[in-house]
Coordinates of all heavy atoms in Angstrom, one line a residue:
V1087 N 35.0 12.6 0.1 CA 36.4 12.3 0.3 C 36.8 12.7 1.8 O 36.5 13.8 2.1 CB 37.4 12.9 -0.7 CG1 38.8 12.6 -0.5 CG2 36.9 12.5 -2.2
V1088 N 37.5 11.7 2.5 CA 37.9 12.2 3.8 C 39.4 11.8 3.9 O 39.8 10.6 3.5 CB 37.2 11.4 4.9 CG1 37.9 11.6 6.3 CG2 35.7 11.9 4.9
V1089 N 40.2 12.7 4.2 CA 41.8 12.4 4.4 C 41.9 12.5 6.0 O 41.8 13.6 6.5 CB 42.6 13.4 3.7 CG1 44.1 13.0 3.9 CG2 42.2 13.5 2.2
A1090 N 42.2 11.4 6.6 CA 42.2 11.3 8.0 C 43.7 11.0 8.5 O 44.4 10.3 7.9 CB 41.3 10.3 8.6
G1091 N 44.1 11.7 9.6 CA 45.4 11.5 10.1 C 45.4 11.0 11.5 O 44.4 11.2 12.2
G1092 N 46.4 10.3 11.9 CA 46.5 9.7 13.2 C 47.6 10.1 13.9 O 48.3 11.1 13.6
R1093 N 48.1 9.4 15.0 CA 49.2 9.8 15.8 C 50.5 9.8 15.0 O 51.3 10.6 15.3 CB 49.3 8.8 17.0 CG 49.7 9.5 18.3 CD 50.0 8.6 19.4 NE 49.0 7.4 19.6 CZ 48.2 7.4 20.5 NH1 48.2 8.3 21.5 NH2 47.4 6.3 20.6
G1094 N 50.5 9.1 13.9 CA 51.6 9.1 13.1 C 51.9 10.4 12.3 O 53.0 10.7 11.8
V1095 N 50.9 11.3 12.3 CA 51.1 12.6 11.8 C 52.0 13.6 12.7 O 52.6 14.6 12.2 CB 49.6 13.3 11.6 CG1 49.7 14.8 11.1 CG2 48.9 12.5 10.5
K1096 N 52.1 13.2 13.9 CA 53.1 13.7 14.9 C 52.9 15.1 15.4 O 53.5 15.4 16.4 CB 54.5 13.6 14.3 CG 54.9 12.1 14.1 CD 56.4 11.9 13.7 CE 56.7 10.5 13.8 NZ 56.1 9.6 12.7
S1097 N 52.1 16.0 14.7 CA 51.9 17.3 15.3 C 50.9 18.1 14.6 O 50.3 17.5 13.5 CB 53.2 18.2 15.0 OG 53.4 18.3 13.6
G1098 N 50.4 19.2 15.0 CA 49.3 20.0 14.3 C 49.9 20.3 12.9 O 49.1 20.3 12.0
E1099 N 51.1 20.7 12.8 CA 51.7 21.1 11.5 C 51.6 19.9 10.5 O 51.5 20.1 9.4 CB 53.1 21.7 11.6 CG 53.3 22.9 12.4 CD 53.3 22.6 13.9 OE1 54.3 21.9 14.3 OE2 52.4 23.1 14.6
G1100 N 51.8 18.7 11.2 CA 51.9 17.5 10.3 C 50.5 17.3 9.6 O 50.5 16.6 8.6
F1101 N 49.4 18.0 10.0 CA 48.1 17.9 9.3 C 48.1 18.7 8.1 O 47.2 18.5 7.3 CB 47.0 18.3 10.3 CG 46.3 17.1 11.0 CD1 46.9 16.5 12.2 CD2 45.3 16.4 10.4 CE1 46.3 15.4 12.9 CE2 44.7 15.2 11.0 CZ 45.3 14.8 12.2
E1102 N 49.0 19.8 7.9 CA 49.0 20.5 6.8 C 48.9 19.9 5.4 O 48.0 20.2 4.6 CB 50.0 21.6 6.9 CG 49.9 22.6 8.0 CD 48.5 23.4 8.0 OE1 48.0 23.7 6.9 OE2 47.9 23.6 9.1
P1103 N 49.9 18.9 5.1 CA 49.7 18.3 3.9 C 48.4 17.5 3.7 O 47.8 17.4 2.6 CB 50.9 17.3 3.9 CG 51.7 17.6 5.1 CD 51.0 18.5 6.0
L1104 N 47.8 17.0 4.8 CA 46.5 16.2 4.8 C 45.5 17.2 4.3 O 44.6 16.9 3.6 CB 46.3 15.6 6.1 CG 46.9 14.2 6.3 CD1 48.4 14.2 6.2 CD2 46.4 13.6 7.6
K1105 N 45.5 18.4 4.9 CA 44.6 19.4 4.5 C 44.7 19.8 3.0 O 43.7 20.0 2.4 CB 44.7 20.7 5.4 CG 44.2 20.6 6.8 CD 44.4 21.9 7.7 CE 44.3 21.7 9.1 NZ 44.9 22.7 9.9
E1106 N 45.9 19.9 2.7 CA 46.2 20.3 1.2 C 45.6 19.2 0.3 O 44.9 19.5 -0.6 CB 47.6 20.5 0.9 CG 47.9 21.1 -0.4 CD 49.3 21.4 -0.7 OE1 50.2 21.3 0.2 OE2 49.6 21.6 -1.9
L1107 N 45.7 18.0 0.7 CA 45.2 16.9 -0.2 C 43.8 16.9 -0.1 O 43.1 16.7 -1.1 CB 45.8 15.5 0.4 CG 45.4 14.3 -0.4 CD1 45.8 14.4 -1.9 CD2 46.0 13.1 0.2
A1108 N 43.2 17.0 1.1 CA 41.7 17.1 1.2 C 41.1 18.2 0.3 O 40.1 18.0 -0.3 CB 41.3 17.2 2.6
N1109 N 41.8 19.4 0.4 CA 41.2 20.5 -0.4 C 41.3 20.2 -1.9 O 40.3 20.6 -2.7 CB 42.0 21.8 -0.1 CG 41.7 22.4 1.2 OD1 40.6 22.1 1.8 ND2 42.6 23.2 1.8
L1110 N 42.4 19.6 -2.3 CA 42.5 19.3 -3.7 C 41.5 18.4 -4.1 O 41.1 18.4 -5.4 CB 44.0 18.7 -3.8 CG 44.7 18.6 -5.1 CD1 44.9 20.2 -5.6 CD2 46.0 18.0 -4.9
L1111 N 41.1 17.4 -3.3 CA 40.1 16.4 -3.7 C 38.7 17.0 -3.4 O 37.7 16.1 -3.4 CB 40.4 15.1 -3.0 CG 41.8 14.5 -3.3 CD1 42.1 13.2 -2.6 CD2 41.9 14.1 -4.9
G1112 N 38.5 18.0 -2.9 CA 37.2 18.6 -2.5 C 36.6 17.8 -1.2 O 35.4 17.7 -1.2
G1113 N 37.6 17.3 -0.4 CA 37.1 16.6 0.7 C 37.3 17.3 2.1 O 37.5 18.5 2.1
A1114 N 37.2 16.5 3.2 CA 37.3 17.0 4.5 C 38.5 16.3 5.2 O 38.8 15.1 4.9 CB 36.0 16.8 5.2
V1115 N 39.0 16.9 6.2 CA 40.0 16.3 7.1 C 39.3 15.7 8.3 O 38.4 16.2 8.9 CB 41.1 17.4 7.6 CG1 42.0 16.8 8.5 CG2 41.7 17.9 6.4
G1116 N 39.8 14.5 8.6 CA 39.3 13.8 9.8 C 40.5 13.3 10.6 O 41.7 13.6 10.2

Side-chain angles (χ1 to χ4, degrees):
V1087 176
V1088 173
V1089 182
R1093 221 187 314 253
V1095 172
K1096 293 188 176 64
S1097 66
E1099 297 79 65
F1101 264 88
E1102 291 307 319
L1104 274 58
K1105 284 183 193 160
E1106 190 179 348
L1107 183 57
N1109 283 340
L1110 202 58
L1111 299 176
V1115 173

